[in-house]
Amino acid sequence: MMEKSSKNLVLLFISFFFLSCSTMRYHIKRNTTETQKQVNRLYKKNGNAFYLCSTFATFSVVWTYSGENIEIFRMQKGKVKRKQIFRAKYIIQNTMFSPEDIEDELYRKCAMVLDGDVFGYIIDINHKTYNANYDIDINCLKQGQFKSDFWGLITHDINNFGMWEFD
């Protein structure tokens, strides 16, 4: 009798474990899908969108520069948890921008990390669309001292507005 109870308890534990893993995968996938939808909406609206996310997280942050403002969307489990609007000190589209130089500088400072964090953007500059996703350590990105105006402004805003800080 005791042996049967133990087996049932083990089976119950295993079932619970697989169910919780399945639920976590669902929330991660949903957040990834909704983050991309938010990026696309903001790009269509403002001509730019940026995001930070992590492979195994159910949260992300998406932001855009709109006129003189920066709009930040903190997402969790595929829903906008908090929207914030701040005055931006510059217009990102007016920065010097060379995709090759930006990528080279980023990967020199912060080595590519597979299965980790992602920084991505889609931006229209002079009627040309630039779209990139970088597999990096976001903490390295936050701490980096970059030569390019683009990375300097991006890291300033990530740090200044606490974009990778979640409740």
Side-chain angles (χ1 to χ4, degrees), residues 17-35 37 55-59 76-79:
F17 176 76
F18 283 115
L19 181 62
S20 66
C21 289
S22 175
T23 302
M24 181 62 89
R25 276 195 306 267
Y26 167 77
H27 287 302
I28 291 169
K29 184 176 178 1
R30 181 163 187 250
N31 194 69
T32 301
T33 301
E34 293 303 317
T35 295
K37 286 180 183 178
T55 305
F56 299 110
T58 60
F59 58 87
Q76 192 163 25
K77 296 182 181 176
K79 296 180 181 179

Side-chain angles (χ1 to χ4, degrees), residues 51-155:
Y51 68 93
L52 295 170
C53 63
S54 188
T55 305
F56 299 110
T58 60
F59 58 87
S60 58
V61 63
V62 179
W63 72 98
T64 187
Y65 298 91
S66 170
E68 296 180 352
N69 294 326
I70 179 173
E71 298 176 30
I72 302 169
F73 299 83
R74 296 175 189 279
M75 301 185 69
Q76 192 163 25
K77 296 182 181 176
K79 296 180 181 179
V80 175
K81 183 178 178 183
R82 185 170 17 145
K83 177 183 177 184
Q84 299 170 292
I85 300 175
F86 300 100
R87 177 72 93 200
K89 294 184 179 181
Y90 51 84
I91 299 171
I92 196 76
Q93 282 96 333
N94 293 344
T95 63
M96 295 298 291
F97 187 86
S98 167
E100 297 80 18
D101 293 343
I102 288 171
E103 187 171 313
D104 288 345
E105 183 178 15
L106 176 65
Y107 284 140
R108 267 186 272 126
K109 296 273 185 188
C110 301
M112 184 168 59
V113 176
L114 301 176
D115 225 16
D117 304 331
V118 176
F119 167 80
Y121 65 84
I122 182 168
I123 185 168
D124 183 63
I125 297 177
N126 296 326
H127 307 290
K128 185 171 180 184
T129 300
Y130 298 92
N131 189 352
N133 299 297
Y134 300 107
D135 296 321
I136 56 151
D137 177 359
I138 291 172
N139 290 321
C140 178
L141 175 64
K142 287 173 51 178
Q143 296 168 3
Q145 298 294 319
F146 297 95
K147 293 178 184 176
S148 75
D149 289 342
F150 179 82
W151 286 124
L153 297 174
I154 292 295
T155 56

